[in-house]
Coordinates of all heavy atoms in Angstrom, one line a residue:
M1 N -61.0 91.1 89.1 CA -59.8 90.4 89.4 C -58.7 91.4 89.9 O -58.5 92.4 89.2 CB -59.3 89.7 88.2 CG -58.2 88.7 88.4 SD -58.3 87.4 87.1 CE -56.6 87.3 86.7
G2 N -58.1 91.2 91.0 CA -57.1 92.2 91.5 C -55.8 92.1 90.7 O -55.5 91.1 90.1
F3 N -55.0 93.1 90.9 CA -53.8 93.2 90.2 C -52.9 92.0 90.5 O -52.3 91.3 89.6 CB -53.0 94.5 90.6 CG -51.7 94.7 89.9 CD1 -51.7 95.2 88.6 CD2 -50.5 94.3 90.5 CE1 -50.5 95.4 88.0 CE2 -49.3 94.5 89.9 CZ -49.3 95.1 88.6
K4 N -52.9 91.6 91.8 CA -52.0 90.5 92.2 C -52.4 89.2 91.6 O -51.6 88.3 91.5 CB -52.2 90.4 93.8 CG -50.9 90.0 94.4 CD -51.1 89.9 95.9 CE -50.2 88.8 96.5 NZ -50.7 88.3 97.7
D5 N -53.7 89.1 91.3 CA -54.2 87.8 90.7 C -53.9 87.7 89.2 O -54.0 86.6 88.6 CB -55.7 87.7 90.9 CG -56.0 87.8 92.4 OD1 -55.4 87.1 93.2 OD2 -57.0 88.5 92.7
Q6 N -53.6 88.8 88.6 CA -53.4 88.8 87.1 C -52.0 88.3 86.8 O -51.8 87.9 85.6 CB -53.5 90.3 86.6 CG -54.8 90.8 86.6 CD -54.8 92.3 86.1 OE1 -54.2 92.6 85.0 NE2 -55.3 93.2 86.8
Y7 N -51.1 88.2 87.7 CA -49.7 87.8 87.4 C -49.3 86.7 88.4 O -49.8 86.6 89.5 CB -48.8 89.0 87.6 CG -49.2 90.2 86.7 CD1 -49.9 91.2 87.3 CD2 -48.8 90.2 85.4 CE1 -50.3 92.3 86.5 CE2 -49.2 91.3 84.6 CZ -50.0 92.3 85.1 OH -50.4 93.3 84.3
D8 N -48.4 85.9 88.0 CA -48.0 84.8 88.8 C -46.8 85.2 89.6 O -45.6 84.8 89.4 CB -47.7 83.6 87.9 CG -47.3 82.4 88.7 OD1 -47.6 82.4 90.0 OD2 -46.7 81.4 88.2
F9 N -47.0 85.9 90.7 CA -45.9 86.4 91.5 C -45.2 85.2 92.3 O -44.1 85.3 92.8 CB -46.3 87.5 92.5 CG -46.6 88.8 91.8 CD1 -47.9 89.3 91.7 CD2 -45.5 89.5 91.3 CE1 -48.1 90.5 91.0 CE2 -45.8 90.8 90.7 CZ -47.1 91.2 90.5
D10 N -45.9 84.1 92.3 CA -45.4 82.9 93.0 C -44.1 82.4 92.2 O -43.4 81.6 92.8 CB -46.4 81.8 93.1 CG -47.4 82.2 94.2 OD1 -47.2 83.0 95.0 OD2 -48.5 81.5 94.1
S11 N -44.0 82.8 91.0 CA -42.9 82.3 90.2 C -41.6 83.1 90.5 O -40.5 82.8 90.0 CB -43.2 82.2 88.7 OG -43.4 83.5 88.2
L12 N -41.7 84.1 91.4 CA -40.5 84.8 91.8 C -39.8 84.0 92.8 O -40.3 83.5 93.8 CB -40.9 86.2 92.5 CG -41.3 87.3 91.5 CD1 -41.7 88.5 92.4 CD2 -40.2 87.7 90.6
V13 N -38.5 83.8 92.6 CA -37.7 82.9 93.5 C -36.5 83.8 94.0 O -35.8 84.4 93.2 CB -37.1 81.7 92.7 CG1 -36.2 80.9 93.5 CG2 -38.3 80.8 92.2
N14 N -36.3 83.7 95.3 CA -35.1 84.4 95.8 C -34.1 83.3 95.9 O -34.1 82.4 96.8 CB -35.5 85.0 97.2 CG -34.3 85.7 97.8 OD1 -33.2 85.8 97.2 ND2 -34.5 86.2 99.0
E15 N -33.1 83.4 95.0 CA -32.1 82.4 95.0 C -31.3 82.3 96.3 O -30.7 81.3 96.6 CB -31.1 82.8 93.8 CG -30.4 81.6 93.3 CD -30.0 81.8 91.8 OE1 -29.4 82.9 91.5 OE2 -30.3 81.0 91.0
A16 N -31.2 83.5 97.0 CA -30.6 83.5 98.3 C -31.1 82.4 99.2 O -30.4 81.7 100.0 CB -30.7 84.8 99.0
E17 N -32.4 82.2 99.1 CA -33.1 81.2 100.0 C -32.6 79.8 99.8 O -32.3 79.1 100.7 CB -34.6 81.3 99.7 CG -35.5 81.2 100.9 CD -36.9 81.5 100.6 OE1 -37.2 82.7 100.4 OE2 -37.7 80.5 100.5
E18 N -32.5 79.4 98.5 CA -32.0 78.1 98.2 C -30.6 77.9 98.7 O -30.2 76.9 99.2 CB -32.1 77.8 96.7 CG -33.5 77.9 96.2 CD -33.5 78.1 94.6 OE1 -32.6 77.6 94.0 OE2 -34.5 78.6 94.1
L19 N -29.8 79.0 98.4 CA -28.3 78.9 98.8 C -28.1 78.8 100.3 O -27.3 78.1 100.8 CB -27.6 80.1 98.2 CG -27.5 80.0 96.6 CD1 -26.9 81.4 96.1 CD2 -26.7 78.9 96.1
V20 N -28.9 79.6 101.0 CA -28.8 79.7 102.5 C -29.2 78.3 103.1 O -28.5 77.8 103.9 CB -29.7 80.8 103.1 CG1 -30.0 80.6 104.6 CG2 -28.9 82.1 102.9
V21 N -30.3 77.7 102.6 CA -30.7 76.4 103.1 C -29.7 75.4 102.8 O -29.3 74.6 103.7 CB -32.1 76.0 102.5 CG1 -32.4 74.6 102.8 CG2 -33.2 77.0 103.0
A22 N -29.1 75.4 101.6 CA -28.0 74.4 101.3 C -26.8 74.6 102.2 O -26.2 73.6 102.6 CB -27.7 74.5 99.8
E23 N -26.5 75.8 102.5 CA -25.3 76.1 103.3 C -25.6 75.8 104.7 O -24.6 75.3 105.4 CB -25.0 77.6 103.1 CG -23.7 78.0 103.9 CD -22.4 77.3 103.4 OE1 -22.4 76.8 102.3 OE2 -21.5 77.2 104.2
I24 N -26.8 76.0 105.2 CA -27.1 75.5 106.6 C -26.9 74.0 106.7 O -26.3 73.5 107.7 CB -28.5 75.9 107.0 CG1 -28.6 77.5 107.1 CG2 -28.9 75.3 108.4 CD1 -30.0 78.0 107.4
A25 N -27.4 73.3 105.7 CA -27.3 71.8 105.7 C -25.8 71.4 105.8 O -25.5 70.5 106.4 CB -28.0 71.2 104.5
R26 N -25.0 72.2 105.1 CA -23.6 71.9 105.1 C -22.9 72.2 106.4 O -22.0 71.4 106.8 CB -22.9 72.7 103.9 CG -21.7 72.0 103.3 CD -21.1 73.0 102.3 NE -20.6 74.2 102.9 CZ -19.6 74.3 103.7 NH1 -18.8 73.3 103.9 NH2 -19.2 75.5 104.2
Q27 N -23.3 73.3 107.1 CA -22.6 73.7 108.3 C -23.1 73.0 109.5 O -22.4 73.0 110.6 CB -22.7 75.2 108.4 CG -21.8 75.9 107.4 CD -21.6 77.4 107.7 OE1 -21.7 77.9 108.8 NE2 -21.4 78.2 106.7
V28 N -24.3 72.5 109.5 CA -24.9 72.0 110.7 C -24.0 70.8 111.3 O -23.8 70.8 112.5 CB -26.4 71.5 110.5 CG1 -26.8 70.4 111.5 CG2 -27.3 72.7 110.6
P29 N -23.6 69.9 110.5 CA -22.7 68.8 111.1 C -21.5 69.3 111.8 O -20.9 68.7 112.7 CB -22.4 67.9 109.9 CG -23.4 68.3 108.9 CD -23.7 69.7 109.1
E30 N -21.0 70.5 111.4 CA -19.8 71.1 112.0 C -20.1 72.0 113.1 O -19.2 72.7 113.6 CB -19.0 71.9 110.9 CG -18.9 71.3 109.6 CD -18.4 72.3 108.5 OE1 -18.4 73.5 108.8 OE2 -18.0 71.8 107.4
S31 N -21.4 72.1 113.5 CA -21.8 73.0 114.6 C -22.5 72.3 115.7 O -23.7 72.4 115.9 CB -22.7 74.0 114.0 OG -22.2 74.6 112.8
P32 N -21.7 71.6 116.5 CA -22.3 70.8 117.6 C -23.1 71.6 118.6 O -23.9 71.0 119.3 CB -21.1 70.0 118.2 CG -19.9 70.8 117.8 CD -20.2 71.5 116.5
G33 N -22.8 72.9 118.7 CA -23.5 73.7 119.7 C -24.9 74.1 119.3 O -25.6 74.7 120.1
L34 N -25.2 73.9 118.1 CA -26.5 74.3 117.6 C -27.6 73.3 117.8 O -27.5 72.1 117.4 CB -26.4 74.7 116.1 CG -27.7 75.1 115.4 CD1 -28.1 76.5 115.8 CD2 -27.5 75.1 113.9
C35 N -28.7 73.7 118.4 CA -29.9 72.9 118.5 C -30.5 72.8 117.0 O -30.6 73.8 116.3 CB -30.9 73.5 119.4 SG -32.6 72.8 119.3
T36 N -30.9 71.6 116.7 CA -31.4 71.4 115.3 C -32.9 71.3 115.2 O -33.4 70.7 114.2 CB -30.7 70.2 114.6 OG1 -30.9 69.0 115.4 CG2 -29.2 70.4 114.4
C37 N -33.6 71.8 116.2 CA -35.1 71.8 116.1 C -35.5 72.8 115.0 O -34.7 73.6 114.6 CB -35.7 72.1 117.4 SG -35.8 73.9 117.8
S38 N -36.7 72.7 114.6 CA -37.2 73.5 113.5 C -37.1 75.0 113.8 O -36.7 75.8 112.9 CB -38.7 73.1 113.2 OG -39.3 74.0 112.3
E39 N -37.4 75.3 115.0 CA -37.4 76.7 115.4 C -36.0 77.3 115.3 O -35.8 78.4 114.8 CB -37.9 76.8 116.9 CG -38.5 78.1 117.2 CD -39.0 78.1 118.7 OE1 -39.1 77.0 119.3 OE2 -39.2 79.2 119.2
C40 N -35.0 76.6 115.7 CA -33.6 77.1 115.7 C -33.1 77.2 114.3 O -32.5 78.1 113.9 CB -32.7 76.2 116.6 SG -33.1 76.4 118.3
I41 N -33.4 76.1 113.5 CA -32.9 76.1 112.1 C -33.5 77.2 111.3 O -32.9 78.0 110.5 CB -33.1 74.7 111.4 CG1 -32.3 73.7 112.1 CG2 -32.8 74.8 109.9 CD1 -30.8 73.8 112.1
L42 N -34.8 77.5 111.5 CA -35.5 78.5 110.8 C -35.0 79.9 111.3 O -34.9 80.9 110.5 CB -37.0 78.4 110.9 CG -37.6 77.3 110.2 CD1 -39.1 77.1 110.5 CD2 -37.5 77.5 108.7
D43 N -34.6 80.0 112.5 CA -34.1 81.3 113.0 C -32.7 81.5 112.4 O -32.4 82.7 112.0 CB -33.8 81.1 114.5 CG -34.8 82.0 115.3 OD1 -36.0 82.1 114.8 OD2 -34.4 82.5 116.4
V44 N -31.9 80.5 112.2 CA -30.6 80.7 111.5 C -30.9 81.1 110.1 O -30.2 82.1 109.6 CB -29.8 79.4 111.5 CG1 -28.6 79.5 110.6 CG2 -29.4 79.0 112.9
A45 N -31.9 80.5 109.4 CA -32.2 80.9 108.0 C -32.6 82.3 107.9 O -32.2 83.1 107.1 CB -33.2 79.9 107.5
A46 N -33.5 82.7 108.8 CA -34.0 84.1 108.8 C -32.9 85.1 109.1 O -32.8 86.1 108.4 CB -35.1 84.3 109.9
Y47 N -32.1 84.8 110.0 CA -30.9 85.7 110.3 C -30.0 85.8 109.1 O -29.7 86.9 108.7 CB -30.1 85.1 111.5 CG -28.9 86.0 111.8 CD1 -29.0 87.1 112.7 CD2 -27.7 85.8 111.2 CE1 -28.0 87.9 112.9 CE2 -26.6 86.6 111.4 CZ -26.7 87.7 112.2 OH -25.7 88.5 112.4
A48 N -29.7 84.7 108.5 CA -28.7 84.7 107.4 C -29.4 85.5 106.2 O -28.7 86.3 105.5 CB -28.4 83.3 107.0
L49 N -30.7 85.2 106.0 CA -31.3 85.9 104.8 C -31.4 87.4 105.0 O -31.5 88.1 104.0 CB -32.7 85.2 104.6 CG -32.6 83.9 103.9 CD1 -33.9 83.1 104.0 CD2 -32.2 84.1 102.4
N50 N -31.5 87.8 106.2 CA -31.5 89.3 106.5 C -30.2 89.9 106.3 O -30.1 91.1 106.2 CB -32.1 89.6 107.9 CG -33.6 89.4 107.9 OD1 -34.3 89.8 106.9 ND2 -34.1 89.0 109.0
Q51 N -29.1 89.1 106.3 CA -27.8 89.7 106.1 C -27.3 89.8 104.7 O -26.5 90.7 104.3 CB -26.7 88.8 106.8 CG -26.9 88.5 108.3 CD -27.1 89.8 109.1 OE1 -26.2 90.7 109.0 NE2 -28.2 90.0 109.8
V52 N -27.8 88.9 103.9 CA -27.4 88.9 102.5 C -28.3 89.6 101.5 O -29.5 89.8 101.8 CB -27.2 87.4 101.9 CG1 -26.2 86.7 102.8 CG2 -28.5 86.7 101.9
R53 N -27.7 90.1 100.4 CA -28.6 90.8 99.4 C -29.5 89.7 98.8 O -29.1 88.6 98.5 CB -27.7 91.4 98.3 CG -26.9 92.6 98.8 CD -25.7 92.9 97.8 NE -24.7 91.8 97.8 CZ -24.0 91.5 96.8 NH1 -24.0 92.1 95.7 NH2 -23.1 90.5 96.9
P54 N -30.7 90.1 98.6 CA -31.6 89.1 97.9 C -31.2 89.0 96.5 O -30.6 89.8 95.9 CB -33.0 89.8 98.0 CG -32.7 91.2 98.2 CD -31.4 91.4 98.9
R55 N -31.6 87.8 95.9 CA -31.3 87.5 94.5 C -32.6 87.0 93.8 O -32.7 85.8 93.7 CB -30.2 86.5 94.3 CG -28.8 86.9 94.7 CD -28.4 87.9 93.6 NE -27.1 88.5 94.1 CZ -26.0 88.3 93.5 NH1 -25.9 87.5 92.5 NH2 -24.9 88.9 94.0
Y56 N -33.5 87.9 93.5 CA -34.7 87.4 92.9 C -34.5 87.1 91.4 O -33.8 87.8 90.7 CB -35.8 88.5 93.1 CG -36.4 88.3 94.5 CD1 -36.0 89.1 95.5 CD2 -37.4 87.3 94.7 CE1 -36.6 89.0 96.8 CE2 -37.9 87.2 95.9 CZ -37.5 88.0 97.0 OH -38.1 87.8 98.2
R57 N -35.2 86.1 91.0 CA -35.3 85.8 89.6 C -36.7 85.2 89.3 O -37.3 84.8 90.2 CB -34.2 84.9 89.1 CG -34.3 83.5 89.8 CD -33.2 82.6 89.3 NE -32.9 81.5 90.2 CZ -33.6 80.4 90.4 NH1 -34.7 80.2 89.7 NH2 -33.2 79.5 91.3
V58 N -37.0 85.2 88.1 CA -38.3 84.6 87.7 C -37.9 83.1 87.4 O -37.0 82.8 86.7 CB -38.9 85.2 86.4 CG1 -40.1 84.5 86.0 CG2 -39.2 86.7 86.7
S59 N -38.6 82.2 88.1 CA -38.1 80.8 88.1 C -37.9 80.2 86.8 O -37.1 79.3 86.6 CB -39.0 80.0 89.0 OG -40.3 80.0 88.4
L60 N -38.6 80.7 85.8 CA -38.5 80.1 84.4 C -37.2 80.5 83.8 O -36.7 79.8 82.9 CB -39.6 80.6 83.5 CG -41.0 80.2 84.0 CD1 -42.1 80.8 83.2 CD2 -41.2 78.7 84.1
L61 N -36.6 81.6 84.2 CA -35.4 82.1 83.6 C -34.1 81.6 84.3 O -34.2 81.0 85.4 CB -35.4 83.6 83.6 CG -36.6 84.3 82.9 CD1 -36.5 85.8 83.0 CD2 -36.7 83.8 81.5
D62 N -33.0 81.8 83.6 CA -31.8 81.3 84.1 C -31.3 82.1 85.3 O -31.9 83.1 85.7 CB -30.7 81.4 83.0 CG -30.8 80.3 82.0 OD1 -31.5 79.3 82.4 OD2 -30.3 80.4 80.9
S63 N -30.3 81.6 85.9 CA -29.7 82.2 87.1 C -29.3 83.7 86.8 O -29.0 84.1 85.7 CB -28.4 81.5 87.5 OG -27.8 82.2 88.5
V64 N -29.4 84.5 87.9 CA -29.1 86.0 87.7 C -27.6 86.3 87.7 O -27.3 87.5 87.4 CB -29.8 86.8 88.8 CG1 -31.3 86.8 88.6 CG2 -29.4 86.3 90.2
Y65 N -26.8 85.4 88.0 CA -25.4 85.7 88.1 C -24.8 86.1 86.8 O -25.1 85.5 85.7 CB -24.6 84.5 88.6 CG -25.0 84.1 90.0 CD1 -25.8 83.0 90.2 CD2 -24.6 84.9 91.1 CE1 -26.2 82.7 91.4 CE2 -25.1 84.6 92.3 CZ -25.8 83.5 92.5 OH -26.2 83.1 93.7
V66 N -24.0 87.2 86.8 CA -23.4 87.6 85.6 C -22.1 86.9 85.3 O -21.8 86.5 84.2 CB -23.1 89.2 85.5 CG1 -24.4 89.9 85.2 CG2 -22.6 89.6 86.8
D67 N -21.3 86.6 86.3 CA -20.1 85.8 86.0 C -19.7 85.0 87.3 O -20.2 85.2 88.4 CB -19.0 86.8 85.6 CG -18.6 87.8 86.6 OD1 -18.6 87.5 87.8 OD2 -18.4 89.0 86.3
A68 N -18.7 84.1 87.0 CA -18.3 83.2 88.1 C -17.7 83.9 89.3 O -17.9 83.5 90.4 CB -17.3 82.2 87.5
E69 N -17.0 85.0 89.0 CA -16.4 85.7 90.1 C -17.4 86.3 91.0 O -17.3 86.2 92.2 CB -15.5 86.8 89.5 CG -14.4 87.3 90.4 CD -13.5 88.2 89.7 OE1 -13.0 87.8 88.6 OE2 -13.3 89.4 90.1
E70 N -18.5 86.8 90.4 CA -19.5 87.4 91.2 C -20.2 86.3 92.0 O -20.6 86.5 93.2 CB -20.5 88.1 90.3 CG -21.4 89.1 91.1 CD -22.8 89.2 90.5 OE1 -23.1 88.8 89.4 OE2 -23.7 89.7 91.3
R71 N -20.4 85.2 91.4 CA -21.1 84.1 92.1 C -20.2 83.6 93.3 O -20.8 83.4 94.4 CB -21.3 82.9 91.1 CG -22.1 81.8 91.8 CD -22.4 80.6 90.8 NE -22.9 79.5 91.6 CZ -24.2 79.4 91.8 NH1 -25.1 80.2 91.3 NH2 -24.7 78.4 92.5
D72 N -18.9 83.5 93.1 CA -18.0 83.1 94.2 C -18.1 84.1 95.4 O -18.2 83.7 96.5 CB -16.6 83.1 93.7 CG -16.3 81.8 92.9 OD1 -17.2 80.9 92.9 OD2 -15.3 81.7 92.3
A73 N -18.1 85.4 95.0 CA -18.2 86.4 96.1 C -19.6 86.3 96.8 O -19.6 86.4 98.1 CB -18.1 87.8 95.5
Y74 N -20.6 86.0 96.1 CA -21.9 85.9 96.7 C -22.0 84.7 97.6 O -22.5 84.7 98.7 CB -23.0 85.8 95.6 CG -24.4 86.0 96.2 CD1 -24.7 87.1 96.9 CD2 -25.4 85.0 96.0 CE1 -26.0 87.3 97.5 CE2 -26.6 85.2 96.6 CZ -26.9 86.3 97.3 OH -28.2 86.5 97.8
L75 N -21.4 83.6 97.1 CA -21.4 82.4 97.9 C -20.6 82.6 99.2 O -21.0 82.0 100.3 CB -20.8 81.2 97.1 CG -21.7 80.7 96.0 CD1 -21.0 79.6 95.2 CD2 -23.1 80.2 96.5
A76 N -19.5 83.3 99.2 CA -18.8 83.7 100.4 C -19.6 84.5 101.4 O -19.6 84.2 102.6 CB -17.5 84.4 100.0
E77 N -20.4 85.4 100.8 CA -21.3 86.2 101.6 C -22.3 85.3 102.3 O -22.6 85.4 103.5 CB -22.0 87.2 100.7 CG -22.7 88.3 101.4 CD -23.4 89.2 100.3 OE1 -22.8 89.5 99.2 OE2 -24.5 89.7 100.6
I78 N -22.9 84.3 101.6 CA -23.8 83.3 102.2 C -23.2 82.5 103.3 O -23.8 82.3 104.4 CB -24.3 82.4 101.0 CG1 -25.1 83.1 99.9 CG2 -25.1 81.2 101.6 CD1 -26.5 83.2 100.1
R79 N -22.0 82.0 103.0 CA -21.3 81.2 104.1 C -21.1 82.0 105.3 O -21.3 81.5 106.4 CB -19.9 80.8 103.5 CG -20.0 79.5 102.7 CD -18.6 78.9 102.4 NE -17.7 79.8 101.7 CZ -17.6 79.9 100.4 NH1 -18.4 79.1 99.6 NH2 -16.8 80.7 99.8
R80 N -20.6 83.3 105.2 CA -20.4 84.1 106.4 C -21.7 84.3 107.1 O -21.8 84.3 108.4 CB -19.9 85.5 105.9 CG -18.4 85.7 106.1 CD -18.0 87.1 106.0 NE -18.6 87.8 104.9 CZ -18.1 87.8 103.7 NH1 -17.0 87.2 103.4 NH2 -18.7 88.5 102.7
A81 N -22.8 84.6 106.4 CA -24.1 84.9 107.0 C -24.6 83.7 107.8 O -25.1 83.9 108.9 CB -25.1 85.4 106.0
V82 N -24.4 82.5 107.2 CA -24.9 81.3 107.9 C -24.0 81.0 109.1 O -24.6 80.7 110.2 CB -24.9 80.1 106.9 CG1 -25.1 78.8 107.6 CG2 -26.0 80.3 105.8
R83 N -22.7 81.2 109.0 CA -21.8 81.0 110.1 C -22.2 82.0 111.3 O -22.3 81.5 112.4 CB -20.4 81.3 109.7 CG -19.4 80.6 110.7 CD -18.0 80.8 110.2 NE -17.8 80.3 108.8 CZ -17.3 80.9 107.8 NH1 -16.9 82.2 107.9 NH2 -17.2 80.4 106.6
D84 N -22.5 83.2 111.0 CA -22.9 84.2 112.0 C -24.2 83.8 112.6 O -24.4 83.9 113.8 CB -23.0 85.6 111.4 CG -21.6 86.2 111.1 OD1 -20.6 85.6 111.5 OD2 -21.6 87.3 110.5
G85 N -25.2 83.4 111.8 CA -26.5 83.0 112.2 C -26.4 81.8 113.2 O -27.0 81.8 114.2
I86 N -25.6 80.8 112.8 CA -25.4 79.6 113.7 C -24.8 80.1 115.0 O -25.2 79.6 116.1 CB -24.6 78.6 113.0 CG1 -25.4 77.9 111.9 CG2 -24.1 77.5 114.0 CD1 -24.6 76.9 111.0
R87 N -23.8 81.0 115.0 CA -23.2 81.4 116.2 C -24.2 82.1 117.1 O -24.3 81.9 118.3 CB -22.0 82.4 115.8 CG -21.0 82.6 117.0 CD -19.9 83.4 116.5 NE -19.1 82.8 115.4 CZ -18.6 83.4 114.3 NH1 -18.8 84.7 114.2 NH2 -17.9 82.8 113.4
K88 N -25.0 83.0 116.5 CA -26.0 83.8 117.3 C -27.1 82.9 117.9 O -27.4 83.0 119.1 CB -26.7 84.8 116.4 CG -26.0 86.1 116.2 CD -27.0 87.2 116.1 CE -26.5 88.6 116.0 NZ -25.4 89.0 116.7
V89 N -27.6 82.0 117.1 CA -28.7 81.1 117.6 C -28.1 80.1 118.6 O -28.8 79.8 119.6 CB -29.4 80.4 116.4 CG1 -30.4 79.4 116.9 CG2 -30.1 81.4 115.5
S90 N -26.9 79.6 118.4 CA -26.3 78.7 119.4 C -26.1 79.4 120.7 O -26.4 78.8 121.8 CB -24.9 78.2 118.9 OG -25.0 77.5 117.7
A91 N -25.7 80.7 120.7 CA -25.5 81.4 121.9 C -26.8 81.8 122.6 O -26.9 82.0 123.8 CB -24.6 82.6 121.6
N92 N -27.8 82.0 121.8 CA -29.1 82.5 122.3 C -30.3 81.9 121.6 O -31.0 82.5 120.8 CB -29.1 84.0 122.1 CG -30.2 84.7 122.8 OD1 -30.9 84.1 123.7 ND2 -30.4 86.0 122.5
P93 N -30.5 80.6 121.9 CA -31.6 79.9 121.2 C -33.0 80.5 121.5 O -33.2 81.1 122.6 CB -31.6 78.4 121.8 CG -30.4 78.4 122.7 CD -29.9 79.8 122.9
P94 N -33.9 80.4 120.6 CA -35.2 81.1 120.7 C -36.1 80.4 121.7 O -37.3 80.8 121.9 CB -35.8 81.0 119.3 CG -35.2 79.8 118.7 CD -33.8 79.8 119.2
H95 N -35.6 79.4 122.4 CA -36.4 78.6 123.4 C -35.5 78.2 124.6 O -34.3 78.4 124.4 CB -37.1 77.4 122.8 CG -36.1 76.5 122.1 ND1 -35.1 75.8 122.8 CD2 -35.8 76.3 120.8 CE1 -34.4 75.1 122.0 NE2 -34.7 75.4 120.8
D96 N -36.0 77.7 125.7 CA -35.2 77.3 126.8 C -34.6 75.9 126.5 O -35.1 75.1 125.8 CB -36.0 77.2 128.1 CG -36.5 78.6 128.5 OD1 -35.8 79.6 128.2 OD2 -37.6 78.7 129.0
Ligands
LIG101 ZN1 -34.0 74.5 119.1

């Protein structure tokens, strides 16, 4: 049995991913210039996720945030990254 099979690495969750997806859902209606096909939305998600710091946690455990202030700062980072991603993909969609 390989090392990777001995542990449940699937239970690692990047909280950034959940937050970015929720934020994209929130910003899409305010972004008429953005194509909402799967390719474009996933491009926005990938762009935004590459901008923000990852927040891994083990899914069984509580959130990694230490305090509300830090959480607010992180959410602001997520909002900015999604806004930039939408701007980039709107200006330059991955397809014709
Ligand atoms: Zn598209």
Side-chain angles (χ1 to χ4, degrees):
M1 195 155 131
F3 183 81
K4 213 179 148 204
D5 304 314
Q6 290 178 50
Y7 304 96
D8 183 16
F9 288 108
D10 288 343
S11 63
L12 285 175
V13 172
N14 184 1
E15 207 154 50
E17 220 172 286
E18 301 165 24
L19 293 171
V20 158
V21 169
E23 184 58 26
I24 292 172
R26 211 185 58 74
Q27 288 191 28
V28 159
E30 319 166 345
S31 311
L34 177 70
C35 168
T36 55
C37 81
S38 168
E39 208 179 341
C40 290
I41 295 297
L42 287 173
D43 252 34
V44 171
Y47 178 88
L49 283 165
N50 281 327
Q51 303 305 306
V52 300
R53 289 164 293 155
R55 288 291 171 112
Y56 277 96
R57 64 178 154 79
V58 177
S59 59
L60 302 174
L61 302 180
D62 281 341
S63 170
V64 289
Y65 297 105
V66 280
D67 59 41
E69 203 173 305
E70 199 214 341
R71 187 178 169 88
D72 284 350
Y74 192 58
L75 290 176
E77 196 179 319
I78 297 268
R79 278 194 297 275
R80 258 195 315 276
V82 168
R83 199 175 305 126
D84 288 353
I86 287 176
R87 200 174 297 141
K88 274 215 180 319
V89 174
S90 298
N92 192 11
H95 55 70
D96 293 330

